[in-house]
Amino acid sequence: MRSADQYDALYSSFRWHVPARFNIARECIGRWAREPDRVALIEDNDGGVPGLVTYAALQADANRLANALAARGVRRGDRVAIMLPQRRETVVAHAACYQMGAVAMPLSVLFGPDALAYRLSDSAAVAALVDAAAHANLAPVRAACPMLRTVIAVDPLPGAGLDLVDYRAALGAAGTGFACVDTGAEDPALLIYTSGTTGPPKGALKPHRVLIGNLPGFVASQNWFPRANDVFWSPADWAWTGGLMDALLPTLYFGRPIVAGTAKGADGRFDARLAYALLERHRVTNAFLFPTALKMMMKALPRPRDTHALALRAVMSAGEAVGATVFDWARHALGVTINEMFGQTEINYVVGNSHEKWPAKPGSIGRPYPGHRVAVIDDAGNEVPRGTCGEVAVNRCDIHGHPDPVFFLGYWGRDDATRRKYTGDWCRTGDEAIMDDDGYLWYQGRADDMFKAAGYRIGPSEVENCLLKHPAVANCAVVPKPDAVRGAVVKAYVVPVPGVTPSPALVADIQGHVRGLLAPYEYPREIEFIDALPMTTTGKVQRRVLRLQEEARFRDRTAAVTATKEEP
């Protein structure tokens, strides 16, 4: 393994080249539009004839939309909300915003009225592009967003009122010529709201240069993308950093096609079997798949290559630790070694694997990608010894002293929150990990997901990974259950595999399975079966929701006992 390890040479020789003038639209769309037949999007039609959209067509539409927005008063620096799923118009909207110097603000179509009202008001967005689903949630709160002057509907919305602009009519009336503004690499391009564990959502303002900062990790995690005939796909929503910066924009930057399709079933949820069919149908070579999606694919079809002709050559996964169980399954069942990646909206794509260039350690999230200086630090900002758990942090500069272009500009309107994000030159992630002697990071969970039970410090990831090895477990989450004697005990919420009936015997079997593989204090003293885990819109398990539920239950039990004792 060490003879194939090229990491040290790649990491030490890497140098950033960030031009003073840089524009995402020009680099991702404009320069490829000169080739009239180059395909940018493959629109998946559930097995029907796919729609092929060229870079030239995207550029033409982006020019028209930029002119239409400008005619309605949108100016450089204005925030424009993009409330659209994976579709052609989403790419057009992003390109139009970037090339006119506006700030694109992607918002998930899953956001309800209150979530939309907060973000639109906080950002003072002046325009929005919506589909039918997004408009249904926007309409009740539009009056509460006085700065929102223009709403453009990309789908016909009969009876929606005269205060909407029809997308196709607007483009049809707009000119086809538009000169991309000369933006600096430091100029703002994106505003992405990220929900922390406390307080209201914060808008992370990102400059044009962040795309450059994402590229080393993207190339490495996708096994040196692009190669001839590479086709990319991810079910990740393009409204989030994962879908936008880990999939859509890097793929377009390299001039390759990306599939627009989310493999969702009739219930609106990710469907593993539809995902396999999409991968085969479009000969997808590179993918970004959340750990949750991989777990569902593993349980739905343990031996997919028996029934599907897959062309996968690289898969990146991020959001949570993949774990050795899924890692081993993918290596044998999909024929790929998953390259895990770690990052967050504010500083994305900073740690990960590239197994063709350096060995992947099952269960590790990898090493710092070239160009990023990453350490595990304590509360005071000091690096902790190797093998010690601490908080993952990224330095403003790389090992050569060059500013790292992956950094966000700050939180929108929240200078205090921006300052709290840093300790000196270290940007804190809020994620706990251990760095081993070879520089690999072992993810332990969010700092607020770690807990102590009977005096032992426990990270949920290791226990969850062990639980997933049990054949009856489809998905799981581990949280502390408050206990008057031990302080807390380990509790597991388990989603059973379809067809499995929960029972006391199954609980005992799962407990025995974990007890036999991990330390005695790590096995779940209580297991609760549920139909689905609470998830964020980006596919991360919301352990905090379950933890707060357990705390509320404990308070209720304590109150009930106290009331009983006080009865005469």
Side-chain angles (χ1 to χ4, degrees):
M1 291 178 66
R2 289 192 178 278
S3 63
D5 191 343
Q6 304 173 42
Y7 178 80
D8 288 342
L10 289 167
Y11 188 78
S12 62
S13 64
F14 182 88
R15 299 292 190 279
W16 288 111
H17 296 285
V18 182
R21 317 304 297 176
F22 186 80
N23 185 279
I24 293 175
R26 184 170 54 231
E27 300 303 320
C28 290
I29 306 294
R31 63 187 175 123
W32 302 114
R34 301 165 192 154
E35 303 175 31
D37 298 326
R38 183 181 282 266
V39 174
L41 293 183
I42 301 172
E43 297 176 310
D44 183 61
N45 291 317
D46 298 322
V49 178
L52 302 181
V53 184
T54 64
Y55 283 89
L58 291 176
Q59 182 64 67
D61 282 356
N63 288 347
R64 293 186 179 95
L65 180 58
N67 284 318
L69 289 170
R72 288 163 176 81
V74 177
R75 298 292 179 260
R76 187 167 182 166
D78 284 346
R79 278 71 61 204
V80 177
I82 301 172
M83 301 152 61
L84 300 170
Q86 287 195 13
R87 56 186 295 173
R88 170 182 181 155
E89 293 83 359
T90 309
V91 185
V92 171
H94 274 275
C97 288
Y98 302 142
Q99 70 178 17
M100 66 188 303
V103 177
M105 186 174 71
L107 296 174
S108 173
V109 294
L110 298 178
F111 281 149
D114 289 349
L116 289 177
Y118 172 81
R119 290 160 174 81
L120 291 167
S121 296
D122 185 70
S123 65
V126 301
L129 287 95
V130 301
D131 67 354
H135 181 259
N137 288 322
L138 172 63
V141 295
R142 182 172 177 182
C145 307
M147 292 293 292
L148 188 64
R149 301 188 301 267
T150 302
V151 177
I152 300 176
V154 301
D155 295 321
L157 298 174
L162 300 177
D163 58 347
L164 291 179
V165 176
D166 180 84
Y167 175 85
R168 284 164 180 77
L171 263 63
T176 59
F178 189 92
C180 180
V181 300
D182 183 28
T183 53
E186 291 289 330
D187 288 348
L190 269 167
L191 184 62
I192 301 182
Y193 277 80
T194 176
S195 297
T197 54
T198 59
K202 298 185 290 293
L205 186 63
K206 301 163 76 74
H208 286 268
R209 61 165 161 76
V210 294
L211 177 58
I212 298 174
N214 278 257
L215 293 178
F218 177 81
V219 169
S221 70
Q222 293 297 337
N223 293 343
W224 258 240
F225 188 96
R227 295 180 185 172
N229 302 316
D230 274 355
V231 175
F232 201 96
W233 175 67
S234 176
D237 189 342
W238 291 348
W240 295 104
T241 300
L244 188 65
M245 302 303 298
D246 304 352
L248 178 63
L249 293 181
T251 302
L252 298 178
Y253 176 86
F254 287 113
R256 299 304 305 161
I258 185 169
V259 177
T262 54
K264 290 182 178 178
D267 59 359
R269 296 182 179 182
F270 176 80
D271 187 304
R273 294 184 181 277
L274 292 179
Y276 282 125
L278 184 150
L279 289 168
E280 179 179 25
R281 184 161 56 244
H282 300 296
R283 304 296 294 164
V284 172
T285 58
N286 297 73
F288 163 35
L289 300 170
F290 287 122
T292 301
L294 287 166
K295 292 171 188 176
M296 295 172 70
M297 293 170 72
M298 177 179 71
K299 294 293 181 176
L301 206 58
R303 296 168 58 89
R305 288 192 292 177
D306 288 351
T307 52
H308 293 278
L310 301 178
L312 283 172
R313 72 172 187 84
V315 171
M316 183 275 282
S317 190
E320 290 192 330
V322 169
T325 303
V326 176
F327 183 91
D328 291 339
W329 167 79
R331 179 179 280 174
H332 295 100
L334 296 179
V336 296
T337 298
I338 294 174
N339 287 322
E340 289 200 57
M341 184 276 285
F342 169 82
Q344 54 182 205
T345 299
E346 299 87 339
I347 38 173
N348 189 44
Y349 242 128
V350 291
V351 170
N353 273 312
S354 183
H355 81 274
E356 291 186 357
K357 300 295 183 179
W358 60 87
K361 292 185 179 183
S364 166
I365 58 173
R367 291 158 149 174
Y369 280 125
H372 307 298
R373 182 182 168 198
V374 181
V376 177
I377 65 175
D378 60 19
D379 291 342
N382 301 311
E383 295 188 44
V384 302
R386 296 289 175 98
T388 304
C389 186
E391 185 176 353
V392 180
V394 186
N395 201 279
R396 292 178 185 270
C397 294
D398 65 9
I399 59 172
H400 305 292
H402 189 287
D404 187 337
V406 85
F407 277 73
F408 75 134
L409 293 171
Y411 292 118
W412 180 261
R414 286 171 171 78
D415 292 340
D416 288 346
T418 303
R419 284 191 291 270
R420 289 194 299 270
K421 185 74 173 171
Y422 292 88
T423 299
D425 286 333
W426 292 108
C427 186
R428 312 186 75 103
T429 65
D431 289 280
E432 301 255 333
I434 295 170
M435 182 177 285
D436 66 19
D437 290 338
D438 296 321
Y440 288 82
L441 285 159
W442 300 80
Y443 186 74
Q444 304 298 301
R446 291 290 299 173
D448 50 11
D449 283 339
M450 307 290 289
F451 63 93
K452 283 190 174 181
Y456 294 99
R457 184 174 172 83
I458 294 173
S461 297
E462 184 178 34
V463 184
E464 291 167 358
N465 181 55
C466 185
L467 285 164
L468 278 172
K469 294 178 180 178
H470 193 283
V473 177
N475 208 349
C476 59
V478 168
V479 296
K481 176 184 177 181
D483 182 86
V485 177
R486 299 179 178 87
V489 297
V490 179
K491 176 168 181 176
Y493 282 85
V494 170
V495 178
V497 168
V500 170
T501 302
S503 67
L506 180 57
V507 169
D509 189 60
I510 294 174
Q511 288 174 324
H513 164 77
V514 177
R515 192 186 288 113
L517 295 173
L518 299 181
Y521 58 83
E522 291 183 287
Y523 90 93
R525 290 180 176 269
E526 183 175 319
I527 293 177
E528 181 174 335
F529 293 98
I530 56 177
D531 294 333
L533 297 174
M535 309 286 284
T536 68
T537 52
T538 59
K540 299 179 183 178
V541 176
Q542 292 182 303
R543 297 187 189 89
R544 180 172 178 268
V545 172
L546 300 174
R547 187 176 71 248
L548 292 176
Q549 176 177 285
E550 290 301 320
E551 293 172 0
R553 289 175 176 177
F554 180 73
R555 288 194 297 270
D556 292 343
R557 290 194 301 270
T558 302
V561 170
T562 302
T564 300
K565 289 181 178 178
E566 292 176 352
E567 289 180 359

